[in-house]
Amino acid sequence: MDGPASPNDGNRDASDGSASPELCPITVGVRLLGDRWSLLVVRQLMAGSRRFNEIHRSMPTLSRTMLSTRLRHLERIGVLCRRPIPHTAHHGYALTLAGQSLRRVLEELGEWTRQWQLEASNDTDVPLLLWRLLESIDRDAIPNGKVCIEFQFSGGAHPRGWLHVDPVRSAACIGDDEDDVDLVVRTKPDVLNDLWRGRRSCRTTVERGDIAFTGPPQLVRGFSNWFRPVGDTRPMSLGAM
């Protein structure tokens, strides 16, 4: 005669007796955060964005309605919380301890992508390229740790983009104009990608007319030392200008 049923018997796989995938922590985690946008929202909060518009500007292909939905979901599962913004009627967003602990998850995912998948991605994808540049910025090389760079790309779906770096937050944006641009860079996405990867020098690229700068000479010269190529700790090989 069979013994008493275990409470978990209904969640056993009949083929091998192992626990159902429904009980696997990875399954639960993917259900909570495995959509297209949730981890990207967490990434933006880690990068310093706090207000709704700041988050949205960094992910312009995400609709405002979907962003609102993702923020409510992340708040409901305890990854972020809403906080009043002092002296205003508005609120901002901040990561909880649970949300902050996702940093290692994102770092490992980014490292896996760099090691195995980066070359397979679209090098002319402007939003992705700007995010790569933002991740590779050497803050110590930027004067006063603050700069706003406008990129003007010839052709393509995204003719303009910005990198905004300061001691409080960092953002890669396309779409709306940024105020107080410090340096304008005019080039093509594939040229900028080649520079970041160290496939060509900035001096040669300037001489060929493939990139041009508008801004203070100090910033034009310093641009060559602000970024690090993928998989390397050295500044990208732009050469003197």
Side-chain angles (χ1 to χ4, degrees), residues 42 45-47 95 98-108:
V42 172
L45 290 170
M46 288 181 178
L95 293 172
Q100 293 171 20
S101 69
L102 287 169
R103 179 178 296 276
R104 186 163 63 92
V105 175
L106 291 174
E107 289 174 347
E108 290 293 332

Side-chain angles (χ1 to χ4, degrees), residues 82-118:
R82 294 196 298 173
R83 292 179 177 174
I85 298 175
H87 312 299
T88 75
H90 304 289
H91 65 266
Y93 299 91
L95 293 172
T96 62
L97 288 177
Q100 293 171 20
S101 69
L102 287 169
R103 179 178 296 276
R104 186 163 63 92
V105 175
L106 291 174
E107 289 174 347
E108 290 293 332
L109 180 60
E111 180 58 33
W112 176 84
T113 303
R114 282 189 288 269
Q115 182 176 358
W116 297 105
Q117 298 293 326
L118 191 56

